Amino acid sequence: MYRFLTSNICAPSIWSRRINFPVVVPSSSFHEIRKNGYEDKNRKKVSPRQAIRDGLKELKKEIKNWTEEVKEGCTLDPIMGMPLPGEVDMQWCFNESIDFDHWVVTSDSDHNEGYSTSTLSVSPTGKGLFSGNLSTQLVRDGKVKKAGYCNFKSIRPQKSFKRDSFHNWSGYTHLVMRVRGDGRSYMITLGTAGYFDVNWNDQFHFALYTRGGPHWQISKIPFSKFYMTSRGRIQDMQEPMPLNRITSFGITASDKNNGPFRLEIDYVGLELDPSHKETSAYEQYKVPYFYAGY
């Protein structure tokens, strides 16, 4: 899609008339390319010939992924694939063989909005280690009003040929994590980006409380306890989490306490508890339309 910008036509004169023809400008110059609102400054420009070569290599890879998807769909047993009550199904295991390309680590300093830093690495015990330094110091640009956050999250699952997909957790009731923290409080974030752009920033959150010391802890959190936000704002109209459309999992450090933080993660799993019947822990109130405007 292109938009046309027509320059002003100069006033006619006795000797000549100068006309500037329309200039074609890509629509990306007017709209955000990425859904998170930040431009990808690390993207490298390549020649058309190199782009064709890279595209052919990517095509072979995607055809292979599509073949594996077809084989998996033909051999899938719907009965054996159902979750068993009381058993934890591992979704992500953090160990020495973890692929860091499947995770994105960011902080306010990456966008020139603060001075916090963070990394995701392997701890000396062979587990995942989310660590860094949290700083609430503001950048003196007159725009940033709050600072001090570090987070990491998983990339969105994809099918072959770069088709967006989802994690289907509809058969589970609890999120289970085995972690070892430093006494700080963290925030668990589950992304549920939908098809329409109004839903791209919908997320569900719940706190992860850790205790300091050498012992590991197992946190078992019902999905019904997660509350919905949009662009970081808690919504008045809460709704149950769409467990069949999970796009990402992440943890954020933003407790406004300056200093280093450290969180070790063993695994992130899912569990089914048949006795848990709650769908949403937050009450919904129906009021007249002229009270709230909706």
Side-chain angles (χ1 to χ4, degrees):
M1 181 184 294
Y2 294 89
R3 293 190 176 186
F4 296 90
L5 300 180
T6 307
S7 302
N8 295 329
I9 300 177
C10 298
S13 62
I14 300 176
W15 303 103
S16 63
R17 175 175 293 179
R18 181 182 177 184
I19 300 177
N20 292 336
F21 292 97
V23 179
V24 180
V25 181
S27 60
S28 59
S29 302
F30 301 94
H31 301 282
E32 297 175 351
I33 301 176
R34 303 179 65 186
K35 295 181 180 180
N36 60 6
Y38 295 99
E39 296 182 1
D40 189 0
K41 299 180 181 180
N42 298 325
R43 186 176 181 181
K44 297 181 181 179
K45 295 182 179 180
V46 296
S47 62
R49 179 175 297 180
Q50 185 62 33
I52 294 175
R53 292 177 180 176
D54 296 341
L56 292 176
K57 293 180 180 178
E58 194 70 20
L59 179 61
K60 295 180 180 179
K61 180 180 177 182
E62 297 301 330
I63 293 176
K64 183 179 179 180
N65 294 339
W66 176 79
T67 305
E68 295 296 331
E69 289 178 6
V70 174
K71 291 181 180 179
E72 183 179 356
C74 295
T75 59
L76 180 63
D77 189 344
I79 298 179
M80 296 300 295
M82 295 179 62
L84 297 177
E87 292 188 0
V88 178
D89 293 336
M90 302 298 177
Q91 187 70 21
W92 292 283
C93 290
F94 293 82
N95 48 42
E96 296 178 352
S97 61
I98 181 176
D99 188 358
F100 291 105
D101 292 337
H102 294 165
W103 299 89
V104 178
V105 184
T106 58
S107 57
D108 52 20
S109 60
D110 296 329
H111 308 296
N112 296 324
E113 296 177 352
Y115 300 95
S116 303
T117 57
S118 60
T119 58
L120 181 63
S121 59
V122 179
S123 68
T125 59
K127 305 298 182 181
L129 177 61
F130 177 49
S131 61
N133 186 77
L134 203 64
S135 175
T136 57
Q137 182 179 355
L138 296 177
V139 178
R140 297 182 179 180
D141 60 352
K143 299 179 181 179
V144 178
K145 298 180 180 180
K146 295 181 181 180
Y149 73 88
C150 300
N151 69 333
F152 76 95
K153 74 171 186 176
S154 62
I155 63 174
R156 181 168 183 172
Q158 287 185 334
K159 298 180 181 179
S160 57
F161 298 102
K162 307 301 181 182
R163 294 174 297 166
D164 289 333
S165 183
F166 302 91
H167 297 293
N168 188 357
W169 296 350
S170 57
Y172 302 93
T173 58
H174 289 72
L175 180 72
V176 184
M177 300 177 58
R178 186 172 184 263
V179 298
R180 179 162 60 181
D182 52 2
R184 283 177 176 260
S185 298
Y186 298 85
M187 185 67 71
I188 302 174
T189 301
L190 298 178
T192 59
Y195 179 79
F196 298 101
D197 57 355
V198 71
N199 303 118
W200 284 350
N201 297 288
D202 287 354
Q203 295 179 332
F204 288 80
H205 304 272
F206 196 77
L208 173 63
Y209 301 103
T210 65
R211 55 174 182 264
H215 301 291
W216 290 85
Q217 68 180 74
I218 296 180
S219 298
K220 182 179 177 181
I221 307 171
F223 288 121
S224 60
K225 302 297 184 183
F226 283 79
Y227 58 91
M228 188 179 71
T229 66
S230 180
R231 292 186 178 272
R233 299 177 183 272
I234 301 177
Q235 300 300 293
D236 293 334
M237 298 294 291
Q238 293 291 319
E239 61 185 38
M241 186 190 312
L243 294 175
N244 61 333
R245 299 179 64 87
I246 303 298
T247 57
S248 64
F249 164 85
I251 296 179
T252 302
S254 180
D255 58 359
K256 300 181 181 180
N257 292 323
N258 295 328
F261 65 89
R262 177 188 176 92
L263 178 65
E264 276 189 274
I265 308 171
D266 186 6
Y267 63 80
V268 178
L270 308 170
E271 183 178 341
L272 170 63
D273 186 358
S275 63
H276 186 79
K277 303 298 182 180
E278 186 181 57
T279 58
S280 178
Y282 307 101
E283 298 181 6
Q284 300 295 316
Y285 298 95
K286 293 184 178 181
V287 298
Y289 289 103
F290 60 86
Y291 279 8
Y294 46 71

